[in-house]
Amino acid sequence: MSSTEHESSDEDISSSSNNNNGNNGNNFYDIYGPQGKAEVIFKNESTLNLTDVQGLVTWVLADGIMPSWVFIKNKPLIQKVVMLYVPGLDAALYLSQSKTLAGFKECCDKPRALLALSCLSDTMLTIDGLLTCKLKRKRNAVDSMTKSTQPSQKENCSTVTENSSSAELLKDIPFPITYYTLTEKQLEDNNYCYNQPGFLSTVPAPFGSSPYEILALDCEMCYTNEGLELTRVTLVDIKGQVLLDKLVKPSNAIVDYNTRYSGITHEMLSGVTTSLKDIQEEFLKLVYKETILVGHSLENDLLALKISHGLVIDTAVLYKHPQGGSHKTSLRVLAKKFLSREIQQSGFGHDSTEDARAAMELALLKIRNGPDFGSPPSVMRTKLLKVLFEYGKTSTLIDNVSIIKRYASESSHAIPVSSDDEALSKARKEVKNDRIHFVWTQFSELNLHFKKQAKDEAKLNEKLAELISLATCDKKLSDSKRFKSFVTPEIKEILARTDARVNSLYTALPTNTMLIICTGHGDTAIVHRLREMLREQSKNSMSRKMIVKVLEELQAQAEVALCFVGVKH
């Protein structure tokens, strides 16, 4: 029992001491008793959001505000919180398969409805909402931070960083660099090309080599009779030093050198023999699969290079436009605002070296100062695990490598896993460690199945046809019965395995451990695939009207998730 708990019960201790004169006042008084237990008492039936769920964790383990939707009786008895994330399980699927998922209710009683983020959002944002905290900050603190990180106009990238090593520049950063790379959905939404005919992909670095961790890229293009083609490629390292800067001869006849923007002239390309294939070979000797590429709207540069690469920090996405949505702020405006530097002002077109250096510096500003640098000053984000550590609580993160890299902190334990069974095994061990106060893990088999199913065109069309049939022919069926009718045997088996894992995890929990199960969202994979089908309407024979109807139902369904909360007794 902590000292604060003793202080909160001074009257009880005082009266007890008066009745035990022979004990010299040194007794330990257990105000809860050997059978004391914590209990969850819900106050209302309101729908929760991700902030409510995270707020429960910080209230129990840190100095958070008491939630309005729940009361925890004998809260000080809870010394450990386990949060289990089960994406893909929405309210409709749970209700239709409640018997198969009986273990959820046995462990945590009835679930609460949780309003998921929009299906249009990146699913990574759901985990972001649970594992990063928003903290208020003062305007003057933000202003001073912004001013202190802006180099003067006279400074360029080389003078700012030439005396620093790569390790020094990336030392003590609040979030790992990979936190800022585009997610799979962001790559898709911003038209990054993958596996296109004629494209090359970056390859893993040779064993034992030391590939560049981060490089900035900028390309210039001109117009040929086949469209935009590559004319210049520039790569700079983290210090702004040029590693590659070459002119490239387009494969087709040039119709417009695009000099106003590209800076490329007829004279510059005269005598150039370097082909696209030549520059691809040089590029792939510097940029490996593990290298993070920085740039501004890099989808255009990679398209011109005809190279696929998955680790990208795009400053056009990194720095949000004030109007939001698909709007993007130009590199010139960002450089002026955050670097106090005028670029693209020569009158002779853009300079790819100048642009690559500016993109690198903008990315480093975010990396050094955190994801909220350059954002409205009302709030800032920090890792939940870091907040808990500040209150003396140690955490363990058990998840896939990408989640570990994004959300683990130096003060937490990080255990990468590649399957639900491995996650369960590691979690069962960690929850028994008395020195661990918060454990996060994820059971992702259901969500991965949905993603795989959405990519299988035959199965998708079969499911879509059945959904359309149910939507038009079986109007009398309730939502739960209608949903139950197309849950496949394979999904039922996955749900049964998930339920068994939940039961196994629960049995391993010490007494008075809080278990929070958050599903986050339903089947968003099929929602994204149906949206693609609508964009490719000419390629499928199904009625657009019916696809829209089914899409609306599936999206509404996927956005109602669940939160289970219980305490082990």
Side-chain angles (χ1 to χ4, degrees):
M1 187 181 296
S2 67
S3 59
T4 54
E5 290 164 32
H6 282 293
E7 291 168 5
S8 66
S9 55
D10 281 345
E11 292 181 4
D12 293 336
I13 294 175
S14 175
S15 60
S16 299
S17 298
N18 291 335
N19 293 325
N20 293 277
N21 297 327
N23 292 326
N24 299 319
N26 293 323
N27 278 27
F28 177 85
Y29 294 90
D30 186 352
I31 63 173
Y32 299 106
Q35 302 303 317
K37 61 182 181 180
E39 293 183 38
V40 177
I41 302 171
F42 293 112
K43 294 182 180 181
N44 52 55
E45 296 297 324
S46 60
T47 300
L48 308 180
N49 56 41
L50 297 175
T51 303
D52 293 325
V53 179
Q54 186 192 87
L56 177 59
V57 177
T58 56
W59 180 52
V60 172
L61 294 180
D63 191 24
I65 300 172
M66 184 173 74
S68 61
W69 56 278
V70 67
F71 175 74
I72 308 299
K73 182 180 179 182
N74 298 334
K75 180 170 74 78
L77 288 175
I78 299 176
Q79 297 297 307
K80 192 187 303 286
V81 175
V82 176
M83 184 178 288
L84 172 62
Y85 182 52
V86 189
L89 181 61
D90 55 43
L93 179 55
Y94 171 77
L95 290 173
S96 70
Q97 301 297 313
S98 57
K99 291 183 179 179
T100 304
L101 296 168
F104 280 68
K105 186 176 179 181
E106 291 172 6
C107 298
C108 299
D109 205 2
K110 295 180 180 179
R112 296 294 300 272
L114 175 70
L115 184 61
L117 299 178
S118 168
C119 284
L120 302 181
S121 301
D122 190 331
T123 52
M124 188 67 80
L125 292 178
T126 301
I127 300 179
D128 218 51
L130 294 169
L131 287 179
T132 64
C133 300
K134 288 184 177 181
L135 304 176
K136 290 184 178 180
R137 61 184 179 185
K138 296 181 180 179
R139 162 76 67 170
N140 57 2
V142 178
D143 291 342
S144 63
M145 180 186 75
T146 304
K147 290 176 182 177
S148 68
T149 54
Q150 291 181 350
S152 68
Q153 280 184 303
K154 295 180 180 180
E155 293 177 318
N156 60 31
C157 188
S158 60
T159 59
V160 171
T161 62
E162 66 182 359
N163 295 321
S164 303
S165 68
S166 175
E168 289 173 337
L169 289 169
L170 300 176
K171 185 179 180 182
D172 298 326
I173 55 177
F175 283 74
I177 304 179
T178 49
Y179 182 89
Y180 305 92
T181 56
L182 297 184
T183 63
E184 186 177 335
K185 185 171 187 301
Q186 286 176 318
L187 289 168
E188 179 185 329
D189 290 346
N190 289 279
N191 300 313
Y192 280 81
C193 297
Y194 282 96
N195 303 319
Q196 297 291 324
F199 273 55
L200 299 179
S201 296
T202 50
V203 298
F207 179 75
S209 65
S210 300
Y212 288 100
E213 183 176 8
I214 183 169
L215 296 174
L217 168 69
D218 191 73
C219 296
E220 304 298 348
M221 285 79 81
C222 69
Y223 288 97
T224 71
N225 53 18
E226 292 294 323
L228 278 173
E229 287 194 45
L230 188 69
T231 53
R232 184 181 177 185
V233 179
T234 303
L235 277 172
V236 302
D237 65 12
I238 195 170
K239 300 179 183 180
Q241 297 173 344
V242 176
L243 301 179
L244 176 66
D245 187 20
K246 283 197 173 183
L247 295 171
V248 182
K249 182 181 180 179
S251 304
N252 299 283
I254 297 173
V255 296
D256 184 353
Y257 284 91
N258 198 28
T259 305
R260 178 185 173 189
Y261 297 104
S262 69
I264 302 298
T265 63
H266 171 76
E267 292 74 20
M268 291 174 67
L269 289 183
S270 179
V272 173
T273 59
T274 302
S275 66
L276 175 63
K277 182 179 179 182
D278 295 332
I279 206 67
Q280 285 176 328
E281 289 178 359
E282 291 193 53
F283 182 89
L284 293 173
K285 290 178 182 178
L286 294 169
V287 179
Y288 289 98
K289 193 172 184 179
E290 301 87 348
T291 303
I292 294 173
L293 267 185
V294 174
H296 196 79
S297 295
L298 266 182
E299 72 275 12
N300 300 316
D301 304 87
L302 292 172
L303 178 62
L305 273 166
K306 293 190 176 181
I307 286 178
S308 296
H309 186 70
L311 278 179
V312 171
I313 295 178
D314 188 337
T315 50
V317 179
L318 196 62
Y319 287 84
K320 305 299 182 186
H321 191 282
Q323 294 182 24
S326 60
H327 297 280
K328 294 181 179 180
T329 306
S330 70
L331 183 63
R332 177 179 57 81
V333 170
L334 292 176
K336 183 175 182 179
K337 181 176 181 180
F338 296 107
L339 304 178
S340 298
R341 184 184 308 154
E342 298 281 354
I343 65 171
Q344 303 172 355
Q345 297 292 311
S346 69
F348 300 102
H350 296 187
D351 180 343
S352 55
T353 301
E354 178 183 60
D355 289 356
R357 285 172 172 165
M360 176 65 83
E361 288 187 70
L362 287 165
L364 289 176
L365 278 178
K366 277 278 189 179
I367 292 167
R368 291 179 191 135
N369 295 291
D372 294 290
F373 176 84
S375 302
S378 57
V379 296
M380 62 181 292
R381 280 177 294 168
T382 188
K383 295 177 186 176
L384 171 64
L385 307 191
K386 183 178 179 181
V387 171
L388 296 179
F389 182 73
E390 290 172 355
Y391 286 89
K393 303 299 190 296
T394 305
S395 304
T396 295
L397 196 64
I398 305 169
D399 214 316
N400 63 63
V401 174
S402 64
I403 301 298
I404 293 290
K405 287 182 176 180
R406 193 175 176 95
Y407 299 104
S409 67
E410 294 179 359
S411 57
S412 65
H413 298 181
I415 304 176
V417 294
S418 57
S419 69
D420 286 5
D421 287 335
E422 189 179 2
L424 172 63
S425 174
K426 300 296 184 183
R428 281 179 57 88
K429 181 178 179 181
E430 283 299 292
V431 298
K432 296 174 183 177
N433 187 340
D434 292 338
R435 292 173 293 179
I436 301 298
H437 306 94
F438 177 74
V439 176
W440 160 282
T441 194
Q442 176 178 178
F443 292 164
S444 58
E445 184 182 8
L446 178 63
N447 197 45
L448 292 175
H449 171 77
F450 285 145
K451 286 184 177 181
K452 182 179 178 181
Q453 200 174 45
K455 292 179 181 178
D456 187 322
E457 190 170 350
K459 288 186 178 180
L460 177 68
N461 288 334
E462 182 182 341
K463 182 174 182 178
L464 186 55
E466 188 173 356
L467 285 168
I468 290 175
S469 174
L470 289 168
T472 56
C473 303
D474 298 325
K475 295 181 180 179
K476 294 181 180 181
L477 286 176
S478 66
D479 288 341
S480 61
K481 289 183 179 179
R482 185 164 27 154
F483 191 85
K484 195 172 185 177
S485 63
F486 65 84
V487 175
T488 65
E490 190 174 3
I491 290 178
K492 288 183 179 180
E493 289 174 6
I494 292 172
L495 293 176
R497 287 194 293 270
T498 301
D499 188 70
R501 292 184 186 111
V502 169
N503 274 304
S504 179
L505 177 60
Y506 183 78
T507 58
L509 300 180
T511 300
N512 285 321
T513 294
M514 175 176 282
L515 175 62
I516 301 173
I517 305 175
C518 181
T519 69
H521 57 79
D523 183 2
T524 56
I526 192 171
V527 173
H528 294 152
R529 186 66 190 94
L530 290 183
R531 287 186 172 278
E532 287 179 10
M533 289 180 69
L534 289 175
R535 289 196 293 267
E536 303 166 356
Q537 185 62 47
S538 59
K539 297 181 182 180
N540 70 73
S541 59
M542 293 189 182
S543 164
R544 180 181 180 86
K545 183 178 179 181
M546 294 313 304
I547 293 177
V548 170
K549 180 178 177 62
V550 170
L551 175 60
E552 288 175 348
E553 289 192 14
L554 289 175
Q555 182 166 325
Q557 175 184 298
E559 291 176 359
V560 182
L562 297 169
C563 177
F564 299 78
V565 182
V567 176
K568 173 69 178 293
H569 294 144

